[in-house]
Amino acid sequence: MTVIYPSPIFGPVHSRRLGVSLGINLLPADGKVCTFDCIYCECGFNADHRPKQSLPTREEVRSALEARLQDMRQNGSTPDVLTFAGNGEPTAHPHFPEIIEDTLALRDKYFPNAKVSVLSNSTFIHRPAVFEALNRVDNNILKLDTVDEEYVRVLDRPTGRYSIREIIEGMKAFKGNCIVQTMFLKGGYKGQDMDNTSDKFVLPWLKAVKEIAPRQVMIYTIDRETPDHDLQKATHEELDRIAARVRETDIPVSVSY
């Protein structure tokens, strides 16, 4: 079963990478809005989940978040992180920068030790206001699944114009204030081999990672059900081998099996 998340607040959930995570979903509760249509997305394919509801407003997000944070404080549960994720690409929201401003203020008021994280596919980092907002959060987590143009069209299926070189340049502009997140997997899709754990994919990707010089790399594999059932998890050994390659560059790396 693929998952469509409530909006604008969901959880808290336990994240493999981030701990106790309160989710912030800036997209409609009844569907998916994304500039990617990844074949491994836990929310399913875009075409299967066209939303009829509108995006939550800045005010709706702010008041729902404040209500949940008040409730958590009263009930003695503490979030490790407030995470922008959910049914698609959070930076696609027209008021994403203002919502980040509100979220940082609410975090400081209720749980000053909690981190603010954004899981983004990097497609809007060229927009100055989005760039500035991402630069202000604690964990600016940017997707770079591959540097192979042909492979990205099959795996991530960008819905608009997408240039890997421009994405890498956009990531470099953060001057280390970003975390690169990469999905490694195996199996097939429509008769095509989707294994990106081999040196053919890993070495060019690693070259780009060194160029970006992020403060951390997160590598992971499929955890939940995917809309295409011929995909498979990368093995522990494969992920460990890739992580060892990253460590040789002196960039910290985390692995989620």
Side-chain angles (χ1 to χ4, degrees):
M1 265 300 288
T2 50
V3 189
I4 293 294
Y5 289 94
S7 178
I9 308 299
F10 64 94
V13 297
H14 199 276
S15 159
R16 287 187 292 169
R17 286 156 289 192
L18 303 168
V20 178
S21 169
L22 184 64
I24 305 170
N25 175 21
L26 301 187
L27 302 157
D30 66 333
K32 187 181 167 206
V33 180
C34 199
T35 47
F36 274 6
D37 195 10
C38 299
I39 60 175
Y40 61 77
C41 183
E42 66 186 23
C43 298
F45 293 130
N46 293 357
D48 298 336
H49 300 286
R50 298 276 184 222
K52 293 184 175 58
Q53 295 174 16
S54 53
L55 299 173
T57 65
R58 174 187 181 179
E59 185 47 47
E60 282 168 349
V61 176
R62 195 198 63 73
S63 58
L65 179 58
E66 182 155 35
R68 184 61 61 87
L69 292 175
Q70 282 174 339
D71 179 58
M72 289 180 81
R73 195 156 79 171
Q74 281 162 4
N75 292 314
S77 72
T78 303
D80 296 310
V81 64
L82 312 179
T83 306
F84 285 83
N87 304 336
E89 175 52 36
T91 64
H93 194 291
H95 297 291
F96 174 76
E98 297 87 344
I99 292 169
I100 288 292
E101 199 174 308
D102 295 343
T103 302
L104 291 169
L106 289 170
R107 183 274 308 270
D108 293 348
K109 179 177 176 182
Y110 291 100
F111 292 102
N113 293 329
K115 306 288 188 202
V116 173
S117 298
V118 179
L119 298 172
S120 170
N121 66 18
S122 317
T123 48
F124 291 119
I125 58 177
H126 61 280
R127 293 183 177 176
V130 169
F131 180 88
E132 282 166 34
L134 289 172
N135 231 344
R136 295 179 65 194
V137 304
D138 301 288
N139 297 314
N140 169 28
I141 303 170
L142 301 174
K143 173 164 287 303
L144 184 69
D145 281 338
T146 178
V147 294
D148 185 300
E149 293 276 2
E150 206 175 305
Y151 183 84
V152 83
R153 309 253 164 241
V154 183
L155 182 74
D156 295 329
R157 304 198 305 171
T159 58
R161 185 180 167 279
Y162 184 82
S163 156
I164 286 173
R165 178 34 56 190
E166 283 174 21
I167 294 290
I168 291 168
E169 292 302 323
M171 289 181 172
K172 280 163 66 176
F174 285 103
K175 296 184 167 39
N177 186 28
C178 66
I179 295 168
V180 169
Q181 183 194 65
T182 303
M183 164 68 78
F184 288 100
L185 45 68
K186 296 160 53 149
Y189 178 69
K190 293 187 173 174
Q192 208 159 331
D193 181 15
M194 296 309 298
D195 187 340
N196 66 340
T197 64
S198 66
D199 284 355
K200 177 192 168 190
F201 289 98
V202 173
L203 296 180
W205 166 82
L206 195 57
K207 185 167 175 273
V209 166
K210 287 196 283 194
E211 215 183 309
I212 295 161
R215 69 161 210 262
Q216 187 190 343
V217 171
M218 289 178 168
I219 65 174
Y220 68 130
T221 191
I222 298 165
D223 183 38
R224 300 186 179 95
E225 189 166 335
T226 63
D228 186 85
H229 300 293
D230 292 331
L231 299 173
Q232 297 161 14
K233 289 169 85 86
T235 65
H236 285 215
E237 293 73 21
E238 285 158 339
L239 292 176
D240 287 342
R241 184 177 57 78
I242 296 164
R245 283 263 168 79
V246 178
R247 285 191 192 100
E248 285 167 11
T249 70
D250 292 328
I251 298 170
V253 60
S254 70
V255 185
S256 299
Y257 300 106

mmCIF file of all heavy atoms in Angstrom, residues 168 172 180 203-214 217 245-246 248-251:
data_model
loop_
_atom_site.group_PDB
_atom_site.id
_atom_site.type_symbol
_atom_site.label_atom_id
_atom_site.label_comp_id
_atom_site.label_asym_id
_atom_site.label_seq_id
_atom_site.Cartn_x
_atom_site.Cartn_y
_atom_site.Cartn_z
ATOM 1 N N ILE A 168 23.664 20.307 -9.579
ATOM 2 C CA ILE A 168 24.956 20.235 -8.861
ATOM 3 C C ILE A 168 25.471 21.649 -8.571
ATOM 4 O O ILE A 168 25.919 21.940 -7.450
ATOM 5 C CB ILE A 168 25.976 19.409 -9.670
ATOM 6 C CG1 ILE A 168 25.561 17.926 -9.686
ATOM 7 C CG2 ILE A 168 27.392 19.557 -9.093
ATOM 8 C CD1 ILE A 168 26.321 17.060 -10.688
ATOM 9 N N LYS A 172 26.174 23.310 -4.932
ATOM 10 C CA LYS A 172 27.488 23.880 -4.585
ATOM 11 C C LYS A 172 27.334 25.268 -3.979
ATOM 12 O O LYS A 172 28.111 25.687 -3.125
ATOM 13 C CB LYS A 172 28.380 23.954 -5.830
ATOM 14 C CG LYS A 172 29.027 22.632 -6.199
ATOM 15 C CD LYS A 172 29.559 22.617 -7.619
ATOM 16 C CE LYS A 172 30.713 23.560 -7.842
ATOM 17 N NZ LYS A 172 31.252 23.428 -9.228
ATOM 18 N N VAL A 180 23.425 15.756 1.184
ATOM 19 C CA VAL A 180 23.036 15.074 -0.054
ATOM 20 C C VAL A 180 22.419 13.725 0.307
ATOM 21 O O VAL A 180 22.994 12.950 1.070
ATOM 22 C CB VAL A 180 24.245 14.876 -0.995
ATOM 23 C CG1 VAL A 180 23.886 13.930 -2.141
ATOM 24 C CG2 VAL A 180 24.709 16.215 -1.556
ATOM 25 N N LEU A 203 30.806 5.896 -8.995
ATOM 26 C CA LEU A 203 32.003 6.738 -9.143
ATOM 27 C C LEU A 203 31.694 8.140 -9.689
ATOM 28 O O LEU A 203 32.168 9.137 -9.125
ATOM 29 C CB LEU A 203 33.071 6.019 -9.975
ATOM 30 C CG LEU A 203 33.614 4.729 -9.331
ATOM 31 C CD1 LEU A 203 34.663 4.071 -10.223
ATOM 32 C CD2 LEU A 203 34.191 4.977 -7.930
ATOM 33 N N PRO A 204 30.879 8.286 -10.742
ATOM 34 C CA PRO A 204 30.522 9.642 -11.188
ATOM 35 C C PRO A 204 29.715 10.407 -10.125
ATOM 36 O O PRO A 204 29.873 11.608 -9.961
ATOM 37 C CB PRO A 204 29.693 9.411 -12.455
ATOM 38 C CG PRO A 204 30.004 8.024 -12.893
ATOM 39 C CD PRO A 204 30.348 7.259 -11.661
ATOM 40 N N TRP A 205 28.832 9.678 -9.418
ATOM 41 C CA TRP A 205 28.049 10.292 -8.331
ATOM 42 C C TRP A 205 28.986 10.814 -7.239
ATOM 43 O O TRP A 205 28.840 11.936 -6.747
ATOM 44 C CB TRP A 205 27.061 9.254 -7.777
ATOM 45 C CG TRP A 205 26.422 9.621 -6.470
ATOM 46 C CD1 TRP A 205 25.337 10.433 -6.283
ATOM 47 C CD2 TRP A 205 26.817 9.172 -5.162
ATOM 48 N NE1 TRP A 205 25.043 10.517 -4.942
ATOM 49 C CE2 TRP A 205 25.931 9.758 -4.237
ATOM 50 C CE3 TRP A 205 27.829 8.334 -4.693
ATOM 51 C CZ2 TRP A 205 26.024 9.528 -2.860
ATOM 52 C CZ3 TRP A 205 27.934 8.103 -3.332
ATOM 53 C CH2 TRP A 205 27.039 8.696 -2.436
ATOM 54 N N LEU A 206 29.985 9.988 -6.882
ATOM 55 C CA LEU A 206 30.938 10.373 -5.845
ATOM 56 C C LEU A 206 31.740 11.614 -6.261
ATOM 57 O O LEU A 206 32.016 12.495 -5.443
ATOM 58 C CB LEU A 206 31.887 9.198 -5.571
ATOM 59 C CG LEU A 206 32.731 9.247 -4.312
ATOM 60 C CD1 LEU A 206 31.862 9.392 -3.072
ATOM 61 C CD2 LEU A 206 33.603 8.007 -4.202
ATOM 62 N N LYS A 207 32.087 11.689 -7.529
ATOM 63 C CA LYS A 207 32.803 12.858 -8.057
ATOM 64 C C LYS A 207 31.951 14.121 -7.858
ATOM 65 O O LYS A 207 32.441 15.171 -7.429
ATOM 66 C CB LYS A 207 33.103 12.624 -9.550
ATOM 67 C CG LYS A 207 33.953 13.686 -10.208
ATOM 68 C CD LYS A 207 34.446 13.181 -11.571
ATOM 69 C CE LYS A 207 35.209 14.264 -12.313
ATOM 70 N NZ LYS A 207 34.341 15.140 -13.099
ATOM 71 N N ALA A 208 30.647 14.011 -8.141
ATOM 72 C CA ALA A 208 29.734 15.151 -7.951
ATOM 73 C C ALA A 208 29.605 15.501 -6.478
ATOM 74 O O ALA A 208 29.594 16.684 -6.104
ATOM 75 C CB ALA A 208 28.364 14.823 -8.538
ATOM 76 N N VAL A 209 29.527 14.487 -5.620
ATOM 77 C CA VAL A 209 29.425 14.725 -4.176
ATOM 78 C C VAL A 209 30.648 15.498 -3.681
ATOM 79 O O VAL A 209 30.532 16.462 -2.909
ATOM 80 C CB VAL A 209 29.257 13.391 -3.403
ATOM 81 C CG1 VAL A 209 29.485 13.577 -1.913
ATOM 82 C CG2 VAL A 209 27.875 12.793 -3.664
ATOM 83 N N LYS A 210 31.823 15.104 -4.149
ATOM 84 C CA LYS A 210 33.048 15.814 -3.742
ATOM 85 C C LYS A 210 33.012 17.272 -4.195
ATOM 86 O O LYS A 210 33.449 18.170 -3.490
ATOM 87 C CB LYS A 210 34.291 15.100 -4.295
ATOM 88 C CG LYS A 210 34.592 13.790 -3.578
ATOM 89 C CD LYS A 210 35.996 13.287 -3.835
ATOM 90 C CE LYS A 210 36.124 12.653 -5.200
ATOM 91 N NZ LYS A 210 37.359 11.864 -5.350
ATOM 92 N N GLU A 211 32.476 17.485 -5.379
ATOM 93 C CA GLU A 211 32.350 18.843 -5.925
ATOM 94 C C GLU A 211 31.391 19.684 -5.069
ATOM 95 O O GLU A 211 31.646 20.846 -4.775
ATOM 96 C CB GLU A 211 31.780 18.719 -7.344
ATOM 97 C CG GLU A 211 32.288 19.720 -8.330
ATOM 98 C CD GLU A 211 31.601 19.541 -9.684
ATOM 99 O OE1 GLU A 211 31.566 18.409 -10.216
ATOM 100 O OE2 GLU A 211 31.082 20.553 -10.181
ATOM 101 N N ILE A 212 30.274 19.074 -4.678
ATOM 102 C CA ILE A 212 29.265 19.772 -3.862
ATOM 103 C C ILE A 212 29.805 20.030 -2.457
ATOM 104 O O ILE A 212 29.503 21.060 -1.851
ATOM 105 C CB ILE A 212 27.965 18.933 -3.793
ATOM 106 C CG1 ILE A 212 27.327 18.822 -5.188
ATOM 107 C CG2 ILE A 212 26.970 19.521 -2.797
ATOM 108 C CD1 ILE A 212 26.330 17.673 -5.329
ATOM 109 N N ALA A 213 30.619 19.107 -1.944
ATOM 110 C CA ALA A 213 31.209 19.188 -0.593
ATOM 111 C C ALA A 213 30.149 19.452 0.482
ATOM 112 O O ALA A 213 30.224 20.421 1.236
ATOM 113 C CB ALA A 213 32.305 20.255 -0.555
ATOM 114 N N PRO A 214 29.130 18.569 0.572
ATOM 115 C CA PRO A 214 28.090 18.759 1.599
ATOM 116 C C PRO A 214 28.649 18.455 2.977
ATOM 117 O O PRO A 214 29.720 17.858 3.107
ATOM 118 C CB PRO A 214 27.042 17.711 1.209
ATOM 119 C CG PRO A 214 27.856 16.601 0.608
ATOM 120 C CD PRO A 214 28.983 17.286 -0.130
ATOM 121 N N VAL A 217 26.434 13.083 3.840
ATOM 122 C CA VAL A 217 25.734 12.336 2.800
ATOM 123 C C VAL A 217 24.843 11.307 3.494
ATOM 124 O O VAL A 217 25.272 10.660 4.453
ATOM 125 C CB VAL A 217 26.727 11.626 1.848
ATOM 126 C CG1 VAL A 217 25.999 10.674 0.908
ATOM 127 C CG2 VAL A 217 27.526 12.644 1.054
ATOM 128 N N ARG A 245 33.346 4.315 0.439
ATOM 129 C CA ARG A 245 33.882 5.192 -0.613
ATOM 130 C C ARG A 245 33.703 6.669 -0.235
ATOM 131 O O ARG A 245 34.569 7.497 -0.459
ATOM 132 C CB ARG A 245 33.143 4.927 -1.933
ATOM 133 C CG ARG A 245 33.601 3.653 -2.638
ATOM 134 C CD ARG A 245 34.635 4.069 -3.694
ATOM 135 N NE ARG A 245 35.369 2.967 -4.258
ATOM 136 C CZ ARG A 245 34.917 2.144 -5.191
ATOM 137 N NH1 ARG A 245 33.679 2.238 -5.620
ATOM 138 N NH2 ARG A 245 35.702 1.222 -5.693
ATOM 139 N N VAL A 246 32.528 6.978 0.328
ATOM 140 C CA VAL A 246 32.260 8.369 0.730
ATOM 141 C C VAL A 246 33.203 8.769 1.866
ATOM 142 O O VAL A 246 33.774 9.865 1.865
ATOM 143 C CB VAL A 246 30.780 8.556 1.160
ATOM 144 C CG1 VAL A 246 30.537 9.992 1.631
ATOM 145 C CG2 VAL A 246 29.828 8.215 0.016
ATOM 146 N N GLU A 248 36.109 7.835 2.484
ATOM 147 C CA GLU A 248 37.471 8.095 1.977
ATOM 148 C C GLU A 248 37.650 9.556 1.561
ATOM 149 O O GLU A 248 38.766 10.053 1.490
ATOM 150 C CB GLU A 248 37.769 7.188 0.768
ATOM 151 C CG GLU A 248 38.045 5.740 1.144
ATOM 152 C CD GLU A 248 38.009 4.812 -0.080
ATOM 153 O OE1 GLU A 248 37.970 5.318 -1.224
ATOM 154 O OE2 GLU A 248 38.005 3.584 0.123
ATOM 155 N N THR A 249 36.540 10.247 1.287
ATOM 156 C CA THR A 249 36.614 11.664 0.888
ATOM 157 C C THR A 249 36.539 12.590 2.107
ATOM 158 O O THR A 249 36.500 13.810 1.963
ATOM 159 C CB THR A 249 35.460 12.026 -0.064
ATOM 160 O OG1 THR A 249 34.228 12.008 0.681
ATOM 161 C CG2 THR A 249 35.363 11.079 -1.229
ATOM 162 N N ASP A 250 36.447 11.984 3.327
ATOM 163 C CA ASP A 250 36.312 12.738 4.585
ATOM 164 C C ASP A 250 34.971 13.448 4.732
ATOM 165 O O ASP A 250 34.849 14.397 5.524
ATOM 166 C CB ASP A 250 37.461 13.743 4.763
ATOM 167 C CG ASP A 250 38.797 13.043 4.988
ATOM 168 O OD1 ASP A 250 38.785 11.955 5.590
ATOM 169 O OD2 ASP A 250 39.833 13.569 4.544
ATOM 170 N N ILE A 251 33.971 13.020 3.975
ATOM 171 C CA ILE A 251 32.621 13.554 4.164
ATOM 172 C C ILE A 251 31.850 12.555 5.027
ATOM 173 O O ILE A 251 31.806 11.375 4.694
ATOM 174 C CB ILE A 251 31.899 13.761 2.815
ATOM 175 C CG1 ILE A 251 32.648 14.789 1.963
ATOM 176 C CG2 ILE A 251 30.455 14.220 3.025
ATOM 177 C CD1 ILE A 251 32.151 14.890 0.514
#
